[in-house]
Amino acid sequence: MMQISPETQLFIRQHQTDDIRILALQGRKYPNVDMPTAITQIAGRQVAAEKIPSWKEINDIWYPKHLSLEQCSSEVTAHYKATLLKGDSLTDLTGGFGIDCSFLAAKFQSVTYVERQKDLCEIAIHNFPILNLKHIDVRNEDGVDYLNAMSPVDCIFLDPARRNGHGGKTVAISNCEPNVAELEELLLKKGKRVMIKLSPMLDLTLALKELQSVQEVHIISANNECKELLLILGQTPADEIPIHCINLYTKGMQKEQRFVFTREEEQRSKCSYTNTLENYLYEPNASLLKAGAFRIITSAFPVKKLHPNSHLYTSDTLIGNFPGRIFHIVNQCSFNKKEIKKGLADLKKANITVRNFPATVAELRKRTKLMEGGNTYLFASTLNDEQKVLVRCEKV
């Protein structure tokens, strides 16, 4: 069992905000300190300060080596997942560092955490009681072996490994370990409700073809960065699967954004396109873009789409509850050199975004001589009549 000496614990507390690269070179100065362990714990605390803020002040929490921490959920996404599962019994078949398990566990009477890496199990055995989660049973076993032998429970959670043999990221469920498509029938024999956490890199269309019993899809973004794709399996498959697009905020006072639709609704929607820009420009949040909610947006909100392949929208009056970023249009110009000079003459810097446009951000910076940053936003896109435009905006 891993132990951390009092001297090493004190060192960790005293140096928890220090640069670990500098500390790593100072081992000889602290002969009574287990420096490799101290470095791991200090690095863990620094990541946790951003990723799991409620654990930041708990000095006795132990952290794993960097890779496990890099791959684990953030507190904000773990909180959201905890709203989707409830019951008496839960089994987490891929325990990892235990963030998801610890947040999910609050809703259950009995919880089993299963993890094949012994060091992660030791950390879990240490951390769960400190978090007042004494009802979690830690099992150092292979998740698939445990699944085969376990008794049925209300809910099962698993987070398959998503890297391929070369360290690259996978796009298909069949390339994940374990392959949940092969285990689907067994999972539903052992759990009434099964939550599968997948990488946002995975192809959603492919995932829905590979799995037969998906009841719900949840695409979670944090601060407009797509973080997780959640599939919920149930014993009665849904005819039309609701896709929940969620954008959570950890900074500022912005409210979370939610939009729910089905793929059938997207296909049935008549989309309004436009050849002219109005007063406001809208960019859907990362979850909507990942979900492919393009046509339905013009049915759900009084906006027009710029072009079938330009995922930007415009309206005359402000739509304050639009699920994405909202901009006020200052002016627009073509890609003509003279027009660019006139429309952007007073600008030194801008945030540039390209959507369905025949030039890269780097090429546009070179052409416009604009530095990055500031309060001006420049969108390069194409209108429905194939006109190429540079749209100068300010955030609403």
Side-chain angles (χ1 to χ4, degrees):
M1 184 73 178
M2 174 176 147
Q3 294 294 334
I4 302 179
S5 70
E7 292 88 352
T8 302
Q9 287 178 21
L10 180 62
F11 181 87
I12 292 164
R13 283 199 293 275
Q14 289 174 337
H15 298 271
Q16 58 187 315
T17 58
D18 290 8
D19 186 327
I20 55 169
R21 290 164 300 183
I22 294 170
L23 288 179
L25 300 172
Q26 297 178 346
R28 287 184 183 174
K29 284 171 66 178
Y30 305 96
N32 297 327
V33 171
D34 177 351
M35 194 57 82
T37 296
I39 295 293
T40 297
Q41 296 309 310
I42 291 167
R45 285 181 182 216
Q46 290 173 2
V47 172
E50 286 286 320
K51 220 169 185 182
I52 331 156
S54 69
W55 291 12
K56 185 185 168 188
E57 304 304 326
I58 307 174
N59 283 326
D60 292 334
I61 292 280
W62 286 354
Y63 295 94
K65 293 192 174 86
H66 185 66
L67 186 64
S68 298
L69 205 54
E70 180 193 68
Q71 292 174 342
C72 71
S73 290
S74 64
E75 180 170 330
V76 68
T77 61
H79 259 307
Y80 179 78
K81 286 194 280 290
T83 67
L84 304 177
L85 294 184
K86 60 182 178 185
D88 288 329
S89 51
L90 166 75
T91 296
D92 180 347
L93 292 170
T94 51
F97 178 38
I99 292 176
D100 283 321
C101 190
S102 67
F103 282 91
L104 290 167
K107 298 281 183 79
F108 293 86
Q109 300 297 313
S110 70
V111 179
T112 305
Y113 157 107
V114 184
E115 172 54 55
R116 63 185 177 188
Q117 292 185 54
K118 193 179 177 190
D119 58 336
L120 290 175
C121 288
E122 288 180 353
I123 287 171
I125 288 166
H126 173 85
N127 286 347
F128 289 149
I130 287 163
L131 294 164
N132 204 26
L133 298 169
K134 293 169 186 169
H135 62 303
I136 303 179
D137 180 25
V138 175
R139 299 293 185 96
N140 182 201
E141 295 181 40
D142 177 80
V144 177
D145 292 346
Y146 187 85
L147 174 66
N148 275 293
M150 70 184 263
S151 300
V153 292
D154 291 327
C155 298
I156 292 172
F157 174 77
L158 69 161
D159 176 7
R162 297 178 293 278
R163 294 175 189 273
N164 66 23
H166 307 290
K169 293 195 173 170
T170 56
V171 294
I173 280 177
S174 52
N175 295 329
C176 293
E177 186 196 350
N179 179 353
V180 288
E182 289 177 353
L183 295 173
E184 184 175 14
E185 197 179 328
L186 180 59
L187 285 164
L188 287 166
K189 271 185 187 169
K190 298 297 178 94
K192 293 175 192 167
R193 197 163 160 88
V194 178
M195 182 189 282
I196 304 163
K197 173 186 158 187
L198 298 166
S199 161
M201 303 291 288
L202 256 77
D203 184 310
L204 177 57
T205 303
L206 196 56
L208 294 176
K209 278 181 187 165
E210 289 185 276
L211 295 168
Q212 308 303 309
S213 306
V214 178
Q215 286 186 325
E216 299 168 28
V217 174
H218 296 256
I219 301 172
I220 312 176
S221 294
N223 305 313
N224 205 25
E225 185 183 340
C226 205
K227 294 291 187 185
E228 295 175 8
L229 175 58
L230 298 179
L231 303 181
I232 295 183
L233 312 184
Q235 289 162 342
T236 50
D239 290 331
E240 291 198 3
I241 301 164
I243 299 173
H244 299 254
C245 302
I246 312 296
N247 186 30
L248 306 166
Y249 286 99
T250 59
K251 300 159 188 166
M253 300 296 289
Q254 286 171 284
K255 286 183 181 174
E256 67 180 57
Q257 298 170 337
R258 291 177 180 246
F259 185 78
V260 186
F261 75 106
T262 68
R263 292 159 77 80
E264 291 77 9
E265 285 172 338
E266 168 68 15
Q267 285 158 10
R268 289 195 298 263
S269 290
K270 285 190 173 131
C271 193
S272 309
Y273 297 105
T274 184
N275 298 332
T276 54
L277 289 159
E278 297 179 339
N279 288 325
Y280 297 95
L281 189 77
Y282 303 86
E283 182 189 42
N285 68 43
S287 291
L288 270 82
L289 294 172
K290 172 66 185 174
F294 303 136
R295 296 161 61 84
I296 195 168
I297 286 177
T298 67
S299 302
F301 302 93
V303 295
K304 292 170 189 164
K305 198 169 194 283
L306 269 54
H307 181 282
N309 301 321
S310 301
H311 305 316
L312 294 168
Y313 302 79
T314 189
S315 76
D316 216 9
T317 55
L318 177 65
I319 315 300
N321 63 340
F322 186 88
R325 297 198 299 170
I326 307 173
F327 301 88
H328 180 255
I329 297 174
V330 176
N331 63 33
Q332 68 179 82
C333 63
S334 74
F335 206 33
N336 174 290
K337 203 171 184 181
K338 195 183 276 185
E339 278 201 41
I340 289 174
K341 197 172 180 184
K342 188 181 171 188
L344 310 176
D346 58 322
L347 272 186
K348 295 280 188 290
K349 54 186 178 179
N351 305 281
I352 300 176
T353 299
V354 167
R355 290 274 185 272
N356 186 28
F357 195 80
T360 65
V361 170
E363 286 165 349
L364 281 172
R365 287 209 181 282
K366 195 174 177 183
R367 185 93 174 248
T368 59
K369 298 182 172 60
L370 291 173
M371 292 186 295
E372 194 174 343
N375 298 319
T376 297
Y377 292 79
L378 202 60
F379 284 86
S381 195
T382 303
L383 298 177
N384 196 46
D385 59 2
E386 301 301 330
Q387 182 190 345
K388 309 295 180 232
V389 288
L390 294 179
V391 192
R392 179 176 172 175
C393 308
E394 289 169 356
K395 234 177 181 179
V396 170

